[in-house]
Amino acid sequence: MEAVRLRIAVEHDVSRAVLEARAQAVKAGFDAIGATQFSTAVSEIVRNIVKYAARGELQLTRVAESGRVGVQAVATDRGPGIADLEVALKDHFSSSGTLGLGLPGVRRMMDDFDIRSTPGEGTVVTIRSWLGAADAPAAGSTPAAIKASSGPLEGVTDGLQWSCYVRSCFGHREGGDAAVVVSGDGRVLAGIIDVLGHGAESAPLARKLATLIRSHGSLELSALLELLHESTKGERGSAVGLCRIDTASGELSFVGVGNTALRLLGRRSIRLESSEGVVGGRMRRVQVQRLVLDREEVVLMYTDGVSNRFEADDMPELLYAPPTRAARELVAKFGKRHDDASCIALRYER
């Protein structure tokens, strides 16, 4: 099939490449989520050209092989090359100024990934996404737990206990709140979702966002939030909070948009607020907030269906109760009856 070739030199070229990548994926038959995933990966590899090589070329092609169809992107530059590919392909190694995927994130998102680089000569990155390829969880991960209707859900990962509790608005059997927990590779990802409105009309988008978090939970938080935003443009809009905890070190990262919040209670009382905006609507680039979780502290993530006006003194049992009880009782005591309300509680086992 005929290839589309784009010159890459300035930021405007990156935007053009992303739009063209999305268009080619749609022409190949990908849905909005698949097209966004492909264009997000393309964004990462072409931004690296602008940042490190000054100029280069992107070639986009719709491909067919062994009875399946897909899209391919080849990014080529004549820059300084990558001195140590092994380091560049390690998790948490990311080019500054990008969405935060880094080359490891691109490799996880795509069905096929190849990189060839020679110091002093340049780099060639080839990625492919196949239509209908199954979403496989990242190595070492377990399927996500999703709660999008009333009731509790709980688990333990490497000594870190977690529980989700979602309660729909009074009079409704389902609503726009959802909670997701994904564990694997010594880390736990928790996602809290609040779709605008409530009731049955908000539930489909809540389930869609929960599924996206489950499928792409290995991404860095800022990249995952961007993927959620791009995949739901033109829909009702939502507030989303994402928290990842390294179970060995206790390092906690949080990013959020809209009316979701994270509270840390125990020896300290810390509130991490989400940025203003709407996922799928108007959303600015957000900053990831970080801290280290003490083993005596409890983490509470909740939507705006839970009143924000509480402290540990109001519910001292939060500091010692198991997460299942903490999440349920926080919603019971501070949840608003006229709105969906949800909470995720996390703490180390005692």
Side-chain angles (χ1 to χ4, degrees):
M1 299 182 184
E2 185 176 352
V4 175
R5 289 182 170 83
L6 300 174
R7 181 182 66 90
I8 305 297
V10 295
E11 186 64 29
H12 175 72
D13 297 331
V14 175
S15 300
R16 191 159 57 98
V18 170
L19 291 174
E20 186 61 40
R22 190 195 306 272
Q24 290 299 317
V26 170
K27 288 179 182 178
F30 284 79
D31 61 13
I33 295 173
T36 297
Q37 182 172 320
F38 180 65
S39 62
T40 299
V42 167
S43 172
E44 182 76 18
I45 61 177
V46 296
R47 284 182 189 278
N48 282 346
I49 292 178
V50 173
K51 182 170 180 62
Y52 295 110
R55 61 179 58 87
E57 181 184 270
L58 176 71
Q59 181 176 299
L60 296 168
T61 316
R62 281 176 280 158
V63 292
E65 182 181 288
S66 302
R68 57 181 181 170
V69 298
V71 279
Q72 172 180 284
V74 181
T76 306
D77 68 66
R78 297 294 181 185
I82 301 174
D84 193 333
L85 275 177
E86 184 177 352
V87 172
L89 291 172
K90 285 184 178 180
D91 282 328
H92 311 304
F93 181 90
S94 174
S95 305
S96 60
T98 67
L99 294 177
L101 278 71
L103 292 174
V106 172
R107 181 167 61 175
R108 282 193 297 267
M109 289 180 72
M110 296 293 96
D111 297 311
D112 297 329
F113 174 91
D114 180 73
I115 182 169
R116 302 180 185 185
S117 187
T118 303
E121 296 184 16
T123 302
V124 179
V125 180
T126 303
I127 58 175
R128 284 183 177 180
S129 184
W130 295 105
L131 188 62
D135 287 324
S141 69
T142 59
I146 299 177
K147 195 65 191 176
S149 58
S150 297
L153 192 65
E154 60 183 319
V156 181
T157 303
D158 297 332
L160 184 73
Q161 297 177 296
W162 52 265
S163 177
C164 312
Y165 190 83
V166 178
R167 191 218 64 200
S168 298
C169 178
F170 181 74
H172 295 271
R173 298 184 62 182
E174 59 180 351
D177 275 19
V180 185
V181 175
V182 186
S183 62
D185 294 330
R187 299 190 297 174
V188 173
L189 169 68
I192 198 89
I193 297 161
D194 183 1
V195 175
L196 299 183
H198 53 263
E201 67 275 13
S202 299
L205 181 55
R207 290 193 292 267
K208 177 180 178 178
L209 287 162
T211 300
L212 284 168
I213 294 172
R214 178 188 62 193
S215 300
H216 302 287
S218 60
L219 292 176
E220 295 300 318
L221 294 187
S222 57
L224 178 55
L225 188 61
E226 183 73 17
L227 178 66
L228 300 179
H229 175 62
E230 292 293 332
S231 299
T232 58
K233 280 185 174 179
E235 301 192 45
R236 297 178 66 88
S238 60
V240 176
L242 301 170
C243 167
R244 176 173 280 128
I245 299 174
D246 183 298
T247 57
S249 67
E251 181 181 338
L252 180 152
S253 304
F254 174 77
V255 64
V257 171
N259 294 323
T260 64
L262 182 147
R263 295 285 299 278
L264 186 72
L265 296 176
R267 296 179 178 176
R268 300 170 292 175
S269 179
I270 299 175
R271 188 192 310 265
L272 301 182
E273 301 286 354
S274 296
S275 302
E276 293 184 1
V278 177
V279 175
R282 291 183 175 271
M283 189 183 85
R284 299 177 181 176
R285 191 175 293 269
V286 297
Q287 187 71 32
V288 178
Q289 302 167 73
R290 305 181 192 277
L291 54 83
V292 176
L293 175 64
D294 186 279
R295 289 185 173 268
E296 300 300 316
E297 295 171 324
V298 60
V299 177
L300 300 169
M301 296 174 64
Y302 48 91
T303 61
D304 71 341
V306 176
S307 173
N308 213 13
R309 298 179 179 179
F310 69 88
E311 296 296 339
D313 291 344
D314 298 318
M315 290 186 68
E317 61 269 29
L318 292 176
L319 302 181
Y320 61 82
T324 303
R325 180 181 165 195
R328 182 178 61 248
E329 293 193 3
L330 185 69
V331 171
K333 186 168 184 178
F334 294 101
K336 305 169 185 176
R337 286 172 57 86
H338 63 274
D339 197 3
D340 303 322
S342 58
C343 175
I344 301 177
L346 308 98
R347 69 171 311 141
Y348 282 102
E349 289 182 302
R350 289 184 172 181

